[in-house]
Amino acid sequence: MKISYNWIKKFIKIDLPSEQTGALLTDLGLEVEGIESFESIKGGLKGVVVGHVLECQQHPNADRLKVTKVDIGQGNIVQIVCGAPNVAKGQKVPVATIGTKLFDKDGNLWEIKKGKIRGEESFGMICAEDELGLGEGHEGIMVLDDKYEPGTLCSEIFEVENDEVFEIGLTPNRADAMSHYGVARDLRAGLIQRGTSLELITPSVTKFHIDNRLSKIDVDVQNKELAPRYTGLTISNVKVAESPMWLQNKLKAIGLTPKNNIVDITNYVLHGLGQPLHAFDADHIVGKKIIVKTAEAGTKFKTLDGVERILDAEDLVICDAEKPLCIAGVLGGLNSGVTSSTRNIFLESAYFNPVSVRKSAKRHAINSDASFRFERGIDISEVKHALMYAAILIENVAGGQISSDIIDLYPKKHDDFQVFLAFERVHKVIGQIIPNDTIKSILHSLDIKINSVTERGLGLVVPSYRVDVQREADVIEEILRVYGYNNINFSEKINASMSHASKFDDHNVQNVIASQLAGQGFSEIMTNSLVSEKTITDFEEDLTKVVKILNPLSSDLNFMRKNLLPSGLEIIEYNINRKRSDLKLFEFGKSYHKIGDNFVENKHLMVYITGNQLPENWNIIPQKTDFFFLKGIVESVFERLQLKNIHTQPLDNNLFIREGFEWIINGKLLGSIGVVKGKILKKFGIKQEIFFADICWDIVLESIKNQKNTFKEIAKFPEVRRDLALLLDEAVSFSDIHRIAFETEKSILKNVGLFDVYQGEKLPTGKKSYAISFTLQDDFKTLTDKQIEKVMHNLQERFKEKLQASVRS
């Protein structure tokens, strides 16, 4: 939120440097993220003065140029070559003197220097509107009023305003500070606590008067719950035109583009006092009647941004006798707003239900300044005051007469919040005793009325604009932020309590595996669960199982992802395009599915590798990552989780993977691993192989939930290794050997490893050779040669029986 310092000074006569004011606002909870300088005219017209053209002669060497003699003050007469067709003797003109810095329409700086144009010297420049930043005109030079003396600074004539603008990171609960008046109100409270008492200046409406009652427009509020207060009046015979410079400068300072004097006043009151207003062209209100009601579902309505929207039955709308004119609190209609031909307006100031406004704004993907405030809660007690203030301003800048009584439909008066504040509770929560008088002073500075005083505490009435202060804890927070967090003493002790963790904590398990992967050189990524419609249509075959968002934040985020792979590939593509092609990534995330009328969330662990295994180094031969490297990583995760009875099976029509397999545990899919298909990579412009594994984390948790950890001593007796070279059929896998070995010897066999594979011309057709290592160890005694030989003989016989294997010598 942008806040103009000059604007704040209209409500509180503060003279602190902007840096000190910014620091005070931050201490009060209105965090100032930056302070920017603002000039209503870039460069501030420094070096631009009024000149009097004394002579104007034809340039001897150019038909379109003139040579002038110009008095720029204090008897200083300079020669300036000018190409404007309208320059003439006797004019008063703006002159940019030597050294003046000007800015073009794109903001580029250029400096006025002494020069020679077609042989004639020139000492400055007579300027057009656009060259000074005063308008768009470039058809000729500006001609000033004859009353100005030569040498007069143009910055004094054109009301150049210099300002400093605070960028405030406002928290959503602080609806009371969403205006310059609200920020000034907080500043006053902070200054009082620091010993400086300043008056808060509330805009006066004493000049408000009704000129006639000739243009009354009736109002019928049919839904009083969604529009608890509605006010309005008619102003006739206004002249819609460009706003005066003071008004334009205020809006430009906070990043708004001036439209016209009527619309600019409504924006000025919105950002000044925090009350949204809307001006209707009264001549377009059919039947001279305003009706506030919920819309008929399916009604088409074109808003001010030119977009045709379909209204919902829950949308509150402002209508005339025939049609909707405005989505209440959100955005006006295209055909009922103020235009250059508008002569009569109906000015609206209202309080709309925050929840209703928020839903409509989200439903139609509209985020307006008005909805931003309505959906957080405005001050219902100031609705009428803001209307009167705006009417006075409109009369001042656009003329016209107030042609109706104020309509103020406020059937059920809003009651201010009442809270009891216990002194003891204040001291306990803050951790420090604050004098009762200081507490009362802070509450008074915050406009919180003290209704009753007892030894125990205070009975308080909270003003209506503090919609976020409804509990004792909220009042204590207010006291603390004004008292100053920095004024609270540090404790010399740290108190902590032991937390009891349940036997199984899924978050703990996730952290353990994340730490393991990070230790293996992987980086964790986090991607958005929301994806675009294009992503869904590109990567999903069954669209009936896709979850669509009813009120999407944008058209690019309107579906819940059904698979995490596309999100991961976007990250990989981003990194590869920035010369980071060696990647090891993992992510814990969810996928979302629609099954019939039910919605299902599944959690996954995704692991990705691509490029080289290790960073480039002079003494390391680059080695590409491959399927088996990733398989080893994933199986180390399974080992860490102590998952048992896992077996594999071929992939079954996987949309994304080629050359891979699936892990199965207890009859359920534990995960899949493989190489991403080329046609998928092509959609992302990725030209290198990507290996990835998708682990079903819900199945992991289910499998280990009742797992019991067992411990045993480290073996005291030596282990023995024996190797076998087995001649096998090509169809036999190492997993078959591993399984059979442990089925055969369950007591002293500790490990089975594959350290060499050979297939070649010296072997029979259809055969291969596996070199297998077997590690044997007894936990209670040293193994004898007889025991070892017996185990190895049993293994050979079992391999021969089950796999038709023979031992190669």
Side-chain angles (χ1 to χ4, degrees):
M1 181 180 71
K2 293 185 182 293
I3 293 292
S4 154
Y5 201 13
N6 288 351
W7 203 338
I8 286 178
K9 291 174 182 178
K10 287 191 169 293
F11 300 118
I12 184 171
K13 299 301 181 185
I14 188 172
D15 59 1
L16 292 176
S18 60
E19 290 79 11
Q20 289 185 31
T21 301
L24 177 54
L25 285 171
T26 299
D27 288 345
L28 290 166
L30 304 179
E31 183 182 358
V32 174
E33 297 174 341
I35 304 175
E36 296 180 354
S37 296
F38 168 78
E39 290 178 322
S40 58
I41 300 173
K42 199 163 185 180
L45 298 181
K46 294 170 186 169
V48 183
V49 299
V50 174
H52 184 200
V53 181
L54 303 177
E55 295 180 13
C56 182
Q57 304 293 332
Q58 183 64 45
H59 193 294
N61 303 315
D63 293 340
R64 296 185 179 181
L65 299 178
K66 303 284 177 62
V67 180
T68 64
K69 302 286 187 184
V70 184
D71 180 2
I72 58 173
Q74 299 180 341
N76 190 6
I77 299 173
V78 296
Q79 177 172 295
I80 298 176
V81 176
C82 180
N86 63 327
V87 64
K89 178 180 178 180
Q91 292 173 336
K92 296 287 179 68
V93 293
V95 177
T97 57
I98 300 298
T100 298
K101 293 180 172 61
L102 299 177
F103 295 84
D104 63 21
K105 62 182 180 179
D106 297 320
N108 300 314
L109 177 94
W110 54 293
E111 185 177 339
I112 302 298
K113 298 178 181 179
K114 173 185 173 182
K116 186 174 283 190
I117 303 175
R118 293 291 185 93
E120 295 292 327
E121 289 187 315
S122 185
F123 299 86
M125 184 174 78
I126 303 174
C127 300
E129 273 186 8
D130 63 336
E131 292 165 337
L132 296 176
L134 294 170
E136 300 294 327
H138 192 72
E139 61 278 2
I141 58 166
M142 288 185 73
V143 179
L144 305 175
D145 196 298
D146 201 46
K147 65 182 179 181
Y148 299 118
E149 291 296 321
T152 302
L153 298 177
C154 284
S155 59
E156 297 175 0
I157 298 172
F158 294 107
E159 302 179 36
V160 176
E161 182 171 344
N162 295 304
D163 198 356
E164 289 170 294
V165 180
F166 301 105
E167 181 67 49
I168 295 179
L170 198 65
T171 53
N173 64 307
R174 291 301 306 277
D176 64 294
M178 292 178 184
S179 66
H180 287 76
Y181 184 76
V183 172
R185 188 166 48 203
D186 245 27
L187 271 176
R188 180 195 62 165
L191 289 168
I192 289 173
Q193 176 59 25
R194 288 153 182 77
T196 302
S197 184
L198 295 178
E199 178 190 1
L200 185 65
I201 303 167
T202 303
S204 172
V205 292
T206 55
K207 293 183 179 179
F208 178 85
H209 68 279
I210 297 168
D211 297 297
N212 59 66
R213 294 174 173 81
L214 301 176
S215 301
K216 180 184 178 183
I217 291 180
D218 294 325
V219 176
D220 177 16
V221 177
Q222 295 183 3
N223 194 319
K224 296 177 177 60
E225 288 186 6
L226 301 187
R229 189 173 191 183
Y230 190 93
T231 69
L233 55 78
T234 306
I235 306 176
S236 302
N237 300 318
V238 295
K239 184 178 180 182
V240 178
E242 190 177 80
S243 295
M245 288 309 301
W246 70 264
L247 179 53
Q248 290 194 43
N249 290 341
K250 286 287 181 289
L251 299 180
K252 287 178 181 178
I254 59 172
L256 297 183
T257 302
K259 304 293 184 185
N260 58 58
N261 48 11
I262 304 294
V263 173
D264 291 349
I265 286 296
T266 62
N267 281 327
Y268 180 74
V269 174
L270 181 148
H271 289 277
L273 301 182
Q275 172 63 48
L277 304 167
H278 190 70
F280 298 92
D281 188 322
D283 295 326
H284 290 174
I285 299 175
V286 177
K288 298 299 178 185
K289 186 172 184 178
I290 289 288
I291 304 169
V292 184
K293 63 178 183 178
T294 50
E296 292 183 16
T299 302
K300 293 181 179 180
F301 177 62
K302 187 170 285 190
T303 45
L304 277 171
D305 55 6
V307 177
E308 186 172 82
R309 305 177 189 277
I310 307 299
L311 297 179
D312 188 88
E314 292 186 2
D315 289 327
L316 185 69
V317 289
I318 315 299
C319 304
D320 60 17
E322 292 182 351
K323 61 186 181 300
L325 304 174
C326 176
I327 302 176
V330 181
L331 195 61
L334 184 63
N335 298 319
S336 62
V338 173
T339 65
S340 57
S341 60
T342 298
R343 291 294 173 264
N344 306 300
I345 65 170
F346 177 76
L347 187 63
E348 166 196 279
S349 178
Y351 179 96
F352 299 117
N353 181 280
V355 175
S356 172
V357 173
R358 187 182 304 118
K359 286 183 175 180
S360 289
K362 290 293 183 185
R363 188 179 296 118
H364 298 292
I366 300 171
N367 184 22
S368 64
D369 285 335
S371 67
F372 182 77
R373 286 157 178 80
F374 275 126
E375 65 189 37
R376 286 162 176 79
I378 62 167
D379 184 4
I380 196 169
S381 66
E382 286 297 306
V383 169
K384 183 178 177 181
H385 176 268
L387 178 75
M388 296 166 69
Y389 179 55
I392 294 169
L393 292 174
I394 287 173
E395 280 191 303
N396 289 340
V397 302
Q401 303 87 38
I402 297 174
S403 303
S404 73
D405 289 315
I406 293 177
I407 298 165
D408 185 5
L409 302 179
Y410 191 17
K412 186 178 180 181
K413 296 295 186 285
H414 176 87
D415 294 326
D416 290 338
F417 304 117
Q418 295 196 20
V419 178
F420 181 78
L421 179 71
F423 292 130
E424 184 181 352
R425 183 66 178 162
V426 175
H427 307 324
K428 185 175 181 180
V429 171
I430 292 178
Q432 182 172 312
I433 294 177
I434 298 176
N436 292 353
D437 289 342
T438 301
I439 293 174
K440 292 175 185 176
S441 172
I442 291 173
L443 293 173
H444 178 72
S445 70
L446 292 169
D447 297 335
I448 297 176
K449 187 190 297 182
I450 299 174
N451 229 10
S452 61
V453 182
T454 67
E455 288 186 4
R456 208 166 67 83
L458 305 172
L460 305 175
V461 179
V462 181
S464 57
Y465 65 81
R466 289 312 304 267
V467 295
D468 61 321
V469 181
Q470 301 184 25
R471 305 168 301 162
E472 183 183 44
D474 299 328
V475 177
I476 294 172
E477 182 182 358
E478 290 299 295
I479 293 169
L480 180 55
R481 72 178 184 85
V482 176
Y483 183 75
Y485 292 95
N486 295 331
N487 294 325
I488 304 301
N489 297 324
F490 289 102
S491 173
E492 294 181 357
K493 298 179 181 178
I494 297 177
N495 297 320
S497 58
M498 298 296 291
S499 62
H500 173 71
S502 62
K503 193 170 184 180
F504 179 79
D505 186 339
D506 56 350
H507 185 69
N508 241 3
V509 176
Q510 180 174 320
N511 282 343
V512 167
I513 298 306
S515 297
Q516 175 173 323
L517 289 170
Q520 292 172 319
F522 283 75
S523 298
E524 185 170 8
I525 61 174
M526 295 178 68
T527 57
N528 200 336
S529 295
L530 303 176
V531 295
S532 66
E533 185 173 357
K534 183 179 185 304
T535 300
I536 292 295
T537 53
D538 279 354
F539 296 100
E540 300 299 337
E541 291 183 342
D542 188 355
L543 298 182
T544 62
K545 295 183 179 180
V546 176
V547 180
K548 187 174 183 180
I549 304 297
L550 293 178
N551 296 311
L553 296 172
S554 72
S555 57
D556 291 332
L557 300 170
N558 53 353
F559 285 88
M560 303 295 286
R561 66 185 175 192
K562 196 163 168 277
N563 191 290
L564 278 71
L565 179 62
S567 303
L569 291 178
E570 285 180 0
I571 300 294
I572 292 172
E573 175 200 16
Y574 183 89
N575 280 272
I576 290 175
N577 289 343
R578 285 155 182 79
K579 308 301 181 184
R580 293 181 61 88
S581 56
D582 302 331
L583 300 169
K584 296 187 219 173
L585 308 172
F586 74 94
E587 178 183 16
F588 287 96
K590 290 186 176 181
S591 63
Y592 304 86
H593 310 261
K594 183 180 180 184
I595 301 176
D597 293 330
N598 298 318
F599 297 96
V600 179
E601 294 182 14
N602 294 320
K603 193 166 187 177
H604 300 257
L605 166 60
M606 307 290 286
V607 187
Y608 309 87
I609 60 167
T610 185
N612 292 323
Q613 289 186 24
L614 297 172
E616 187 178 28
N617 193 285
W618 68 272
N619 66 347
I620 296 176
I621 298 173
Q623 184 175 355
K624 292 284 185 184
T625 54
D626 57 23
F627 173 87
F628 298 101
F629 177 77
L630 178 59
K631 177 175 175 286
I633 293 292
V634 177
E635 289 182 345
S636 72
V637 169
F638 293 161
E639 187 175 343
R640 181 69 179 84
L641 293 167
Q642 299 181 44
L643 291 171
K644 296 178 173 59
N645 302 318
I646 300 173
H647 69 273
T648 61
Q649 67 181 30
L651 283 171
D652 184 20
N653 296 325
N654 194 289
L655 290 174
F656 304 106
I657 299 176
R658 62 175 175 85
E659 299 177 21
F661 61 80
E662 295 174 338
W663 286 286
I664 304 297
I665 186 169
N666 301 325
K668 296 179 181 179
L669 177 65
L670 177 62
S672 53
I673 183 172
V675 188
V676 181
K677 291 180 177 178
K679 66 178 183 179
I680 301 294
L681 297 179
K682 190 174 181 181
K683 293 178 185 292
F684 293 90
I686 298 173
K687 297 179 181 179
Q688 61 189 61
E689 278 193 320
I690 308 294
F691 303 90
F692 97 106
D694 180 357
I695 311 303
C696 303
W697 194 249
D698 296 319
I699 302 299
V700 168
L701 297 177
E702 180 185 316
S703 301
I704 66 173
K705 191 166 187 178
N706 298 316
Q707 194 177 75
K708 292 182 179 180
N709 291 324
T710 57
F711 302 89
K712 63 180 180 179
E713 285 187 64
I714 296 173
K716 298 176 183 178
F717 301 96
E719 62 182 32
V720 174
R721 169 172 164 163
R722 291 289 186 268
D723 298 339
L724 285 178
L726 298 176
L727 186 64
L728 303 157
D729 289 338
E730 283 183 342
V732 176
S733 68
F734 172 70
S735 61
D736 295 328
I737 297 171
H738 188 277
R739 175 177 51 80
I740 292 170
F742 279 100
E743 287 175 354
T744 304
E745 177 54 53
K746 298 179 181 179
S747 58
I748 64 173
L749 180 63
K750 301 301 181 182
N751 187 52
V752 179
L754 173 66
F755 63 90
D756 187 41
V757 176
Y758 176 73
Q759 286 179 285
E761 58 186 24
K762 295 183 178 180
L763 297 180
T765 304
K767 296 290 185 177
K768 65 183 176 182
S769 174
Y770 273 3
I772 312 290
S773 66
F774 300 88
T775 302
L776 307 175
Q777 186 181 43
D778 193 317
D779 295 334
F780 305 104
K781 63 181 185 294
T782 301
L783 290 171
T784 64
D785 289 341
K786 189 175 181 181
Q787 286 177 295
I788 296 169
E789 291 302 324
K790 181 179 180 182
V791 169
M792 296 306 297
H793 176 74
N794 290 340
L795 288 172
Q796 292 179 45
E797 291 300 314
R798 195 66 182 274
F799 292 146
K800 183 178 180 181
E801 176 189 345
K802 293 289 185 181
L803 304 175
Q804 289 74 52
S806 59
V807 177
R808 297 181 67 207
S809 56

